Amino acid sequence: MSAQPGRLYGVGLGPGDPELVTVKAARLLGAADVIAYHSARHGRSIARSVALPYLRGDQIEEPLIYPVTTETTDHPGGYQGALDDFYAECAVRLAAHLDAGRDVVVLCEGDPLFYGSYMHMHKRLAHRYPTEVVPGVTSVSGAAAVLGRPLVERDETLTVLPGTLPADVLTERLAAADSAAVLKLGRTFEKVRAAFAEAGRLDDAWYVERATTEKQRVEPLAEVDPATVPYFSLALLPSPLTPAGAPATDPAPEPVRAGEVVVVGLGPAGRPWLTPEAQEALAAADELVGYGPYLDRVPPNPRQLRHPTDNRVEAERAAHALELAAAGSRVAVVSSGDPGVFAMASAVLEVAAEPRFAGVAVRVVPGLTAAQAVASRAGAPLGHDYCVLSLSDLLKPWEVVAGRITAAAKADLVLAIYNPASRSRTWQVAAMRDLLLEHRAPDTPVVIGRDVGGPGESVRVVELAVLDPAEIDMRTLLIVGSSTTRVVDRDGRPVVYTPRRYPA
């Protein structure tokens, strides 16, 4: 642990317009070592998008991805139990940075202590670390500003209500209010609007959505279509806001964390090809295990330990990951593409079948495969039945490979060919071509995809008869068409597709 712990900041970013970020918040956003933000499982964060103009670009990021939002959960503690465990786990992740002396900024839309997601970190960490809360312009203030109506005057009072309250409670409080703001609409909208009507206040109420942003919408509450209402909206009887804050409470006991191994598919290249589920698994991990070049594709995080290995020690790598998990770590084993396609998922599960690892949980998180990536660049060559083959004979005899090539060719399947060549294995491409030509026309299209999604991306289409093995290396994937696969010219480039209908 560092002699001097880091400082925790809860930073309010305002209602959405980056120009409404305070000067102090902007300074802290640029200076912090670690930027943490909440998001749903899709991985997109409104808070991060607001803060982005003020970030340096080289800071450590900790995405805190909710396990549930509005859906149900099988957590033994129910919805609240799942969230309590999630907040405790996030606090552990942030504490690791604070213990190491790194300053952590937790982003929050609006104001951090006004229905803000930050407060859950504050309650668990503020009593242990130096902490500062930076207030932000609230959604209520933003809504009043874009509406252009005074909030209160003289001795009027403001009532702020969550739309999740029971309908009768909403009605009672709206009827008694001078002015009011009702937040958390979305699925609660129809109930909220009915409460305004029952209280006799509907004609005076306004609807404000995404205030201060380019997508803001302001309408009389009575005229809004419920099907169009997102969560980030509110109903307003013009009113002021009293800053809300609550003292930090004793943290709930942190759950005992059971170790697990998550085998994660990184997709074929950078972050745009990474699924939100994979991003969540990587963010939650304590330790990362994998082939060195694949680990290099995961942004470094000093909180996490990394264990790079050579590419030919899959069983040893799997055993190491399982041993780490058995000791209580959350371990992500990374694979390029999809971990279940010629990659680490089967290796991990094979070793996990040993009795010594019977109590270690193993999950597989899929990724975009190289075949899918190359196919998308070429058009739709995998539009009908296809098979996936590896030309490598390191783990199976060439006779088996050759028999499968012939069987696929006879069956008129499109072939996606992985591992076509390497530095020490250069003859199989020619052998594959010759086997296929016994059953395929010489002009059958072949897609040659190399480093798709990377800086050296190249996608070409050639005829099977002239496929040159010298052009193929270990970073290449081949897609060999069937008898129905077609090549058409679109805007000066070849587009390959295989029709979904097969000739009678």
Side-chain angles (χ1 to χ4, degrees):
M1 180 182 294
S2 171
Q4 184 70 31
R7 192 173 186 86
L8 174 68
Y9 295 91
V11 174
L13 300 172
D17 182 352
E19 291 187 345
L20 291 178
V21 171
T22 64
V23 173
K24 184 170 187 176
R27 174 175 61 80
L28 293 173
L29 292 173
D33 303 304
V34 180
I35 302 294
Y37 52 87
H38 291 81
S39 77
R41 291 174 64 87
H42 51 59
R44 298 183 297 275
S45 166
I46 293 176
R48 186 182 183 279
S49 68
V50 176
L52 187 59
Y54 306 102
L55 302 182
R56 294 199 310 269
D58 62 347
Q59 290 153 300
I60 301 163
E61 294 193 14
E62 284 283 1
L64 311 176
I65 302 173
Y66 286 107
V68 290
T69 48
T70 59
E71 68 272 30
T72 58
T73 176
D74 58 1
H75 189 282
Y79 185 90
Q80 191 58 51
L83 286 181
D84 288 342
D85 281 358
F86 164 70
Y87 292 135
E89 292 161 5
C90 290
V92 170
R93 287 164 55 186
L94 300 189
H97 291 296
L98 295 165
D99 288 339
R102 291 185 282 272
D103 290 344
V104 177
V105 162
V106 180
L107 308 181
C108 190
E109 301 97 24
D111 182 272
L113 296 180
F114 181 70
Y115 291 121
S117 53
Y118 161 76
M119 67 178 63
H120 302 289
M121 298 300 97
H122 189 85
K123 290 189 287 187
R124 289 166 173 81
L125 296 172
H127 65 294
R128 297 166 52 192
Y129 301 97
T131 300
E132 183 174 353
V133 178
V134 180
V137 178
T138 68
S139 59
V140 175
S141 298
V146 301
L147 183 60
R149 298 279 300 276
L151 294 175
V152 289
E153 296 182 30
R154 299 176 65 87
D155 296 329
E156 292 179 329
T157 59
L158 166 68
T159 301
V160 180
L161 303 168
T164 51
L165 287 174
D168 59 337
V169 176
L170 286 169
T171 300
E172 178 183 355
R173 296 190 181 181
L174 288 171
D178 292 325
S179 54
V182 183
L183 287 68
K184 302 184 179 182
L185 296 187
R187 296 187 179 190
T188 70
F189 177 79
E190 292 187 87
K191 175 183 68 175
V192 169
R193 185 165 64 181
F196 271 93
E198 186 70 19
R201 311 300 297 274
L202 182 59
D203 291 342
D204 299 323
W206 288 83
Y207 169 86
V208 184
E209 173 185 319
R210 297 186 174 95
T212 77
T213 73
E214 293 179 353
K215 297 181 179 180
Q216 75 179 24
R217 179 163 63 124
V218 179
E219 294 182 19
L221 187 66
E223 299 176 8
V224 176
D225 179 0
T228 66
V229 176
Y231 182 81
F232 287 98
S233 57
L234 57 82
L236 190 65
L237 288 169
S239 68
L241 177 67
T242 301
T249 60
D250 291 334
E254 294 171 356
V256 177
R257 301 193 336 165
E260 70 167 347
V261 173
V262 185
V263 193
V264 181
L266 300 178
R271 182 166 180 170
W273 303 81
L274 189 68
T275 69
E277 185 181 13
Q279 181 183 359
E280 176 186 354
L282 294 172
D286 303 313
E287 307 191 57
L288 304 177
V289 174
Y291 177 41
Y294 298 159
L295 275 183
D296 291 342
R297 287 168 46 187
V298 181
N301 185 330
R303 176 180 61 79
Q304 298 172 325
L305 296 177
R306 301 162 79 94
H307 305 277
T309 62
D310 183 76
N311 199 29
R312 297 193 180 189
V313 291
E314 290 186 350
E316 294 89 336
R317 186 187 309 152
H320 184 206
L322 290 160
E323 288 164 356
L324 293 172
S329 281
R330 290 184 170 181
V331 184
V333 178
V334 301
S335 280
S336 181
D338 183 279
V341 180
F342 304 123
M344 281 301 299
S346 58
V348 170
L349 290 170
E350 184 175 3
V351 177
E354 297 177 12
R356 60 182 174 137
F357 296 124
V360 179
V362 177
R363 289 191 293 126
V364 178
V365 175
L368 186 67
T369 69
Q372 292 165 330
V374 172
S376 71
R377 293 294 202 243
L382 305 181
H384 202 280
D385 297 343
Y386 68 95
C387 70
V388 177
L389 290 174
S390 170
L391 282 197
S392 173
D393 59 353
L394 291 175
L395 301 176
K396 60 181 182 292
W398 172 252
E399 291 74 17
V400 172
V401 179
R404 291 175 178 176
I405 292 170
T406 298
K410 287 182 177 180
D412 200 21
L413 295 170
V414 175
L415 288 87
I417 305 295
Y418 283 70
N419 306 312
S422 69
R423 285 188 293 269
S424 62
R425 186 171 50 79
T426 59
W427 56 270
Q428 282 98 331
V429 174
M432 175 202 71
R433 178 196 61 203
D434 295 342
L435 287 169
L436 290 172
L437 284 170
E438 295 177 10
H439 305 278
R440 296 280 163 93
D443 62 351
T444 298
V446 179
V447 179
I448 304 174
R450 186 180 187 280
D451 192 29
V452 169
E457 176 176 316
S458 171
V459 178
R460 298 174 52 239
V461 181
V462 302
E463 294 183 353
L464 178 60
V466 297
L467 177 62
D468 184 0
E471 299 181 6
I472 312 303
D473 63 16
M474 61 193 301
R475 301 185 68 183
T476 302
L477 182 133
L478 303 175
I479 297 179
V480 182
S482 70
S483 66
T484 66
T485 302
R486 299 290 178 259
V487 181
V488 296
D489 183 274
R490 291 186 62 85
D491 300 323
R493 72 178 186 92
V495 173
V496 184
Y497 71 95
T498 303
R500 293 182 64 190
R501 289 186 177 85
Y502 198 82

